[in-house]
Amino acid sequence: MSEYAARNISHTDFILNGFSGSREWKQLLFIPFFLLFVMSITANSMIIFIILSHRALHSPMYMLICVMAFVDLVIPIFCVPNMLLNLLFNWNHISLIGCLVQMFCIHFFGSVQTTILLWMALDRFYAICTPLHYNEHMRFSAFLKFVIIPMLRNAVFISAIVGLARSLSYCQSNEIKHYFCEHMALVTLACGPIYVNNVVGLCTMFFIPAADVLLIAVSYVRIFVSLFKSGKSSQKALSTCITHIVVMFMNVILALTSFLSYRIKNEMLSNSHMVISAMYLLMPACLNPIIYGIRTKEIRQQIIKVMKFYLKNISMGQNHKPSCDTF
């Protein structure tokens, strides 16, 4: 086939080929990723159930933890099952439309992660710096502006990169060097120029996670100043803030490494990039329920009550489920 003819053919079916190596090696990788996936689904589902089923946990702070757990539940569902099937059975085909849908969902909910961290920072800022006006600031109608504007921003930028990816012709190859439809992994297969895609992708990076992290940093500077002035009672709040910041930097570093590795041409980064991308999607989903759930006293107490209830029922041979009134 001539080069001209090839450039007039755009692939509509793609092969996800993220992890290189023998089939036995891929099947071995299935085990840890499957265990992490099950752990993330179980832990986040438990956090959501605990918070939604207890009215005492319906305050803004706990509802934000619930939203974080929902996002951490959704993101792996969009990509990990395909990755596991690929590793175990070598099922790695995906259509262009399916690829674009997966790309939008993963990148959109990924952008929501940093936005939720911003909401949590605002919640702590109002609780610590303006405690007398906390309820006024965190009232749903007042807080709505902090929800609508960032979510619209996220949707516009992610829709832009997906729309631009849809407009390209993919005539170079149909083999995506990734285990899910990551933006740069797909557009590098296009036969035309991708300068605009690169620029919009970088703008998305700076206007969503970078902007959120900057606002979070400003909030925590104000929080730390307030805490250091408050004296004795600041120890617990300081510990919570430091834990929050550690998780934020873990997410940001993994995201930046995954994002920039496609812009650094180095063949040695291939498998390491896949592992980092997988950890970026799975590790926060596994660790966030522990950090924001188990380490929160009220949620931990409810989890212990639920576990005791089920253990008691199992020992008594009963099968009925707990209700909110039981606790």
Side-chain angles (χ1 to χ4, degrees):
M1 184 181 293
S2 67
E3 182 179 350
Y4 176 80
R7 287 184 175 273
N8 282 275
I9 296 176
S10 181
H11 294 289
T12 58
D13 185 72
F14 294 89
I15 298 172
L16 296 170
N17 189 17
F19 292 98
S20 60
S22 64
R23 184 170 182 180
E24 291 74 17
W25 166 246
K26 292 181 180 180
Q27 290 174 342
L28 187 62
L29 285 175
F30 171 86
I31 298 173
F33 286 132
F34 175 75
L35 293 176
L36 287 172
F37 179 63
V38 171
M39 179 180 173
S40 68
I41 296 299
T42 304
N44 287 292
S45 297
M46 178 177 290
I47 293 297
I48 293 171
F49 168 75
I50 292 295
I51 293 176
L52 293 183
S53 62
H54 295 83
R55 291 185 180 276
L57 300 179
H58 287 187
S59 64
M61 182 179 73
Y62 299 116
M63 294 309 295
L64 287 173
I65 293 174
C66 184
V67 175
M68 175 66 86
F70 173 76
V71 172
D72 288 336
L73 178 69
V74 168
I75 291 177
I77 289 176
F78 280 117
C79 66
V80 176
N82 283 346
M83 179 185 72
L84 295 177
L85 290 173
N86 186 353
L87 292 174
L88 196 60
F89 302 113
N90 203 32
W91 295 353
N92 54 7
H93 287 266
I94 188 169
S95 66
L96 177 60
I97 297 301
C99 185
L100 294 172
V101 170
Q102 186 187 62
M103 181 193 301
F104 177 84
C105 293
I106 292 174
H107 287 302
F108 176 75
F109 283 105
S111 70
V112 172
Q113 282 183 319
T114 58
T115 303
I116 295 172
L117 291 172
L118 173 60
W119 295 340
M120 288 180 169
L122 287 173
D123 174 75
R124 292 300 85 203
F125 172 79
Y126 289 134
I128 295 170
C129 299
T130 59
L132 297 179
H133 301 284
Y134 174 77
N135 290 332
E136 178 184 345
H137 288 304
M138 295 304 294
R139 193 175 66 250
F140 180 75
S141 57
F143 196 73
L144 197 60
K145 61 179 177 290
F146 297 114
V147 175
I148 294 176
I149 295 175
M151 293 298 283
L152 282 176
R153 173 204 62 181
N154 296 358
V156 167
F157 275 103
I158 301 304
S159 297
I161 65 172
V162 174
L164 287 171
R166 175 67 181 89
S167 65
L168 296 173
S169 295
Y170 299 97
C171 57
Q172 290 193 15
S173 172
N174 69 334
E175 184 177 337
I176 300 175
K177 298 292 186 178
H178 214 298
Y179 62 88
F180 73 91
C181 287
E182 200 268 346
H183 173 239
M184 287 305 300
L186 177 65
V187 300
T188 51
L189 302 179
C191 47
I194 57 171
Y195 172 77
V196 175
N197 301 77
N198 276 315
V199 170
V200 174
L202 288 170
C203 288
T204 301
M205 190 71 180
F206 286 119
F207 282 102
I208 298 182
D212 286 346
V213 169
L214 178 62
L215 293 173
I216 290 169
V218 171
S219 298
Y220 275 102
V221 168
R222 296 284 303 275
I223 288 171
F224 286 144
V225 170
S226 178
L227 285 175
F228 291 140
K229 288 180 179 179
S230 66
K232 302 179 185 178
S233 62
S234 65
Q235 188 63 39
K236 181 179 178 181
L238 182 62
S239 176
T240 302
C241 292
I242 290 175
T243 302
H244 188 165
I245 290 172
V246 168
V247 174
M248 180 190 71
F249 274 106
M250 177 189 70
N251 290 344
V252 170
I253 289 171
L254 286 171
L256 282 172
T257 305
S258 177
F259 179 81
L260 293 175
S261 63
Y262 266 107
R263 291 162 173 80
I264 301 174
K265 302 301 182 181
N266 189 339
E267 293 300 324
M268 294 179 65
L269 291 176
S270 179
N271 274 338
S272 61
H273 170 64
M274 295 303 107
V275 173
I276 290 170
S277 296
M279 292 300 101
Y280 167 61
L281 293 175
L282 283 172
M283 290 306 294
C286 294
L287 295 178
N288 286 343
I290 297 173
I291 296 172
Y292 293 115
I294 306 303
R295 291 193 60 183
T296 304
K297 180 181 177 181
E298 291 78 4
I299 297 178
R300 184 174 67 246
Q301 290 174 343
Q302 296 299 333
I303 290 175
I304 292 172
K305 286 183 180 180
V306 170
M307 292 179 67
K308 286 181 177 179
F309 180 87
Y310 275 111
L311 289 174
K312 181 180 177 181
N313 278 354
I314 291 173
S315 64
M316 295 174 62
Q318 297 178 358
N319 293 319
H320 62 279
K321 296 181 180 180
S323 63
C324 299
D325 299 332
T326 307
F327 311 111

